[in-house]
Amino acid sequence: MEKMKRAERMVAITQLLMSNPNVLTPLTLFAERFGTAKSTISEDLMAVKGSFQLSGQGRLETVSGAAGGVRYIPEISSAEAALFLSKLAQRLSEKERILAGGFLYMTDLLYDPAVLRPLGLIFASSFREKGPEVVVTIETKGIPLALVTAEALGLPMVVIRTGNKVTEGSSVSINYVSGSSRRIQMMSLSRRALDPRRKVLVIDDFMKAGGTALGIKNLMKEFEADVVGIGVLVETQITSEPKLVEGYLSLLKLRELDLNSGKSIIVPEELLFNGL
Amino acid sequence: MEKMKRAERMVAITQLLMSNPNVLTPLTLFAERFGTAKSTISEDLMAVKGSFQLSGQGRLETVSGAAGGVRYIPEISSAEAALFLSKLAQRLSEKERILAGGFLYMTDLLYDPAVLRPLGLIFASSFREKGPEVVVTIETKGIPLALVTAEALGLPMVVIRTGNKVTEGSSVSINYVSGSSRRIQMMSLSRRALDPRRKVLVIDDFMKAGGTALGIKNLMKEFEADVVGIGVLVETQITSEPKLVEGYLSLLKLRELDLNSGKSIIVPEELLFNGL
């Protein structure tokens, strides 16, 4: 490859790092790829790091030592998060989104990468310091949300099945009462899907009474997992009844919902990451 | 914001573009954010574009005119795709992955963002020129694969439910025979989830006889959709029986599978994108 100028190299480094978020890349890889000395790459990286610091969209993390290198940590600033959540709350308050049973139609948003990407960054920024090792969710609608969170954190995802559909060797099943249906249901997870004693972050789309979240917590006990966080996109705050779980983070709160008028009030959570 | 040097600005532009893949950003936005003239931003973008061209990891697309701007199209080179698929085939050939019924355990890989990201780019590079408007999949294991493909293409995703679980207004259901279970099953899609007459790309994780894919094609007819492509990660090629659908792309072919020895042979498809 033809020798690059510093600015071109800095762009190429940025592209490589951002294409592999959370992956530690040794300086020698850059030096080899761009045919330059490691000291030159070091200077390039310092400049790239400085440029990232101004953006609030992600930062460069440096790991020193023989096994060291740099990795790109995707982030979102608190200001951007607040703006995004307030716009999302507004979209969810649209009249035609109210479904029978007091639910909000949000499937279109939950399956839209442009909506999911910032949500993944918001959950990641909220829970990164808890040190989760895996992101756990339950099928079906929570999967995309959990995946973008896992991607932003550089972690694998585990999906609990509802019912007893697990065909992958021995599995653990528990019964739970979903707040939405008030019926006893079953959730299952294959033994091979989750190693014992992991730190897990639970992500789901909606919380009504918290029965599903409680079920997941109980299932996690069977894997001796440490639930370091629970994050949901929307929780209902219509009744004053306490939830079945505590200490969760909900990004949006459904305060009022009038089935007759089709009016709902949704309020975003106020977040603050790293003082940004 | 303090005035940036050209190299710093190029990094900041790259970060902004890559954080919003497939989104058209007008030059004025950069000019305002960095406090420079549009002509300066134009020059920066030319240099960024040149730097991207050397990488094969993504390119800058320029749209001219009043409503114009630039967008980042994430890509993968054919060489990188081939290397990735051959490594993935090797991982899937590990002995302990064979499950009863002639299935491969691949859930861990299907839920790992580091594996999914390149797969999404491979599907996107394979189908982008067909002009899909939405990516369609069926729950559960195909969802992450469809999501990363949708993200790489900048499209929304639609998830077909199995059974009749749709609670979102009127829905269309059809029966299909899954090649794996040989039983009649039902799949459903809410009317509001997919506008009529869309160009759809179907993505799924596994194809045995093709019954699920055929079911999806039939369901799509009910929405007057035009199926412009079908992509699956793994297809079985163990029997010589023809599949129930034609013209699909499978990235990996399961050629042999010996339940007794636990040995399997998996061969990657050879792909060529844009001559790269």
Side-chain angles (χ1 to χ4, degrees):
Chain A
M1 188 188 283
E2 203 190 327
K3 197 139 182 174
M4 295 169 113
K5 289 180 213 149
R6 157 145 292 176
E8 281 182 337
R9 214 165 47 228
M10 281 169 62
V11 167
I13 288 172
T14 302
Q15 194 188 17
L16 198 73
L17 286 167
M18 288 187 71
S19 299
N20 300 283
N22 297 297
V23 174
L24 194 70
T25 307
L27 266 58
T28 46
L29 187 142
F30 295 113
E32 279 164 27
R33 181 168 293 207
F34 303 124
T36 54
K38 259 178 78 172
S39 57
T40 310
I41 295 293
S42 264
E43 285 170 33
D44 291 348
L45 284 168
M46 285 294 288
V48 168
K49 192 171 189 163
S51 194
F52 284 169
Q53 267 161 4
L54 300 170
S55 76
Q57 291 211 304
R59 65 189 156 83
L60 209 60
E61 199 175 78
T62 314
V63 179
S64 49
V70 288
R71 63 163 74 94
Y72 181 73
I73 312 287
E75 285 181 325
I76 189 167
S77 69
S78 305
E80 216 181 319
L83 183 66
F84 175 80
L85 289 179
S86 101
K87 278 186 192 166
L88 187 61
Q90 215 175 322
R91 281 179 77 179
L92 281 170
S93 306
E94 289 159 9
K95 194 173 168 178
E96 60 273 26
R97 289 195 171 271
I98 295 180
L99 299 171
F103 284 93
L104 272 178
Y105 179 72
M106 42 182 206
T107 310
D108 55 337
L109 302 172
L110 286 172
Y111 292 165
D112 184 346
V115 174
L116 290 163
R117 200 179 309 119
L119 290 175
L121 293 172
I122 292 171
F123 279 132
S125 295
S126 304
F127 293 111
R128 182 173 277 115
E129 63 186 23
K130 304 272 185 188
E133 296 166 308
V134 57
V135 176
V136 172
T137 192
I138 184 161
E139 63 179 344
T140 298
K141 285 183 201 163
I143 297 175
L145 208 52
L147 184 70
V148 291
T149 304
E151 175 151 31
L153 289 167
L155 300 177
M157 171 178 73
V158 164
V159 178
I160 298 167
R161 307 295 302 255
T162 53
N164 194 4
K165 280 171 287 193
V166 182
T167 53
E168 296 157 352
S170 70
S171 65
V172 183
S173 299
I174 63 152
N175 292 317
Y176 70 107
V177 180
S178 158
S180 45
S181 68
R182 301 257 173 209
R183 278 181 317 192
I184 294 182
Q185 294 181 273
M186 189 189 267
M187 62 170 83
S188 313
L189 186 60
S190 164
R191 275 276 173 215
R192 87 189 272 174
L194 181 63
D195 288 335
R197 291 177 294 282
R198 296 285 96 180
K199 287 186 182 176
V200 309
L201 169 61
V202 177
I203 295 289
D204 207 356
D205 57 328
F206 200 85
M207 186 188 285
K208 206 167 181 181
T212 303
L214 181 64
I216 295 174
K217 278 186 87 168
N218 288 334
L219 183 59
M220 288 300 102
K221 276 184 202 156
E222 297 291 326
F223 289 80
E224 298 172 67
D226 180 13
V227 177
V228 297
I230 300 175
V232 298
L233 178 57
V234 180
E235 72 161 314
T236 57
Q237 288 188 340
I238 291 166
T239 65
S240 58
E241 253 178 81
K243 304 287 188 207
L244 297 167
V245 290
E246 285 178 342
Y248 57 89
L249 168 71
S250 62
L251 301 185
L252 300 172
K253 291 102 171 48
L254 177 61
R255 291 270 164 85
E256 276 182 41
L257 190 145
D258 189 329
L259 283 172
N260 294 324
S261 71
K263 239 185 91 174
S264 66
I265 296 174
I266 297 168
V267 180
E269 170 74 19
E270 282 173 35
L271 300 162
L272 193 67
F273 317 129
N274 319 312
L276 277 170
Chain B
M1 188 188 284
E2 202 188 329
K3 197 138 181 174
M4 295 168 115
K5 289 180 212 146
R6 158 146 291 177
E8 282 182 336
R9 213 166 45 229
M10 280 168 63
V11 167
I13 287 172
T14 302
Q15 194 188 16
L16 198 73
L17 286 168
M18 288 188 70
S19 299
N20 300 284
N22 297 297
V23 175
L24 193 71
T25 307
L27 266 58
T28 46
L29 188 142
F30 295 113
E32 278 165 25
R33 182 169 291 207
F34 303 125
T36 53
K38 260 178 79 173
S39 57
T40 311
I41 294 295
S42 264
E43 284 170 34
D44 292 347
L45 284 168
M46 285 293 288
V48 168
K49 192 170 190 165
S51 194
F52 284 169
Q53 266 159 3
L54 299 170
S55 76
Q57 292 210 302
R59 64 188 156 85
L60 210 60
E61 199 175 78
T62 313
V63 178
S64 50
V70 288
R71 62 163 72 95
Y72 181 72
I73 310 288
E75 283 181 326
I76 189 167
S77 68
S78 305
E80 217 182 318
L83 183 66
F84 175 79
L85 289 179
S86 103
K87 279 185 191 169
L88 187 61
Q90 215 175 323
R91 283 179 77 178
L92 282 169
S93 307
E94 287 159 11
K95 194 173 167 177
E96 60 274 23
R97 290 195 170 272
I98 296 180
L99 300 171
F103 285 93
L104 273 180
Y105 179 73
M106 43 181 205
T107 311
D108 55 337
L109 303 173
L110 286 172
Y111 292 165
D112 185 346
V115 174
L116 288 163
R117 200 179 309 120
L119 290 175
L121 293 173
I122 292 171
F123 278 131
S125 295
S126 304
F127 292 111
R128 183 173 276 115
E129 62 187 23
K130 304 273 185 187
E133 296 166 309
V134 56
V135 176
V136 171
T137 191
I138 184 162
E139 63 179 343
T140 297
K141 287 182 201 162
I143 297 175
L145 209 52
L147 185 70
V148 291
T149 304
E151 175 150 31
L153 289 167
L155 300 177
M157 171 179 72
V158 163
V159 178
I160 298 168
R161 305 296 301 255
T162 53
N164 193 4
K165 282 171 286 194
V166 182
T167 54
E168 295 157 350
S170 70
S171 65
V172 183
S173 300
I174 63 152
N175 292 317
Y176 70 107
V177 180
S178 159
S180 45
S181 68
R182 301 256 174 210
R183 278 181 319 193
I184 294 182
Q185 294 182 273
M186 190 188 266
M187 61 170 83
S188 312
L189 186 60
S190 163
R191 275 276 173 217
R192 85 190 272 174
L194 181 62
D195 288 334
R197 291 177 293 282
R198 295 286 95 181
K199 286 185 184 178
V200 309
L201 169 62
V202 176
I203 296 289
D204 208 356
D205 57 327
F206 200 84
M207 186 188 285
K208 208 168 179 180
T212 303
L214 181 64
I216 295 174
K217 278 187 86 169
N218 288 334
L219 184 58
M220 288 301 101
K221 276 184 201 157
E222 296 292 326
F223 289 80
E224 298 172 68
D226 180 11
V227 177
V228 298
I230 299 176
V232 297
L233 178 57
V234 180
E235 71 161 313
T236 57
Q237 290 189 338
I238 291 168
T239 65
S240 57
E241 253 179 79
K243 305 285 188 206
L244 296 167
V245 290
E246 285 179 341
Y248 57 90
L249 168 71
S250 62
L251 301 185
L252 300 172
K253 289 103 172 49
L254 177 60
R255 290 269 163 85
E256 276 182 41
L257 190 145
D258 189 328
L259 283 171
N260 294 322
S261 70
K263 241 185 89 173
S264 65
I265 296 174
I266 297 167
V267 180
E269 171 74 19
E270 281 173 36
L271 300 160
L272 193 68
F273 317 128
N274 318 312
L276 277 170

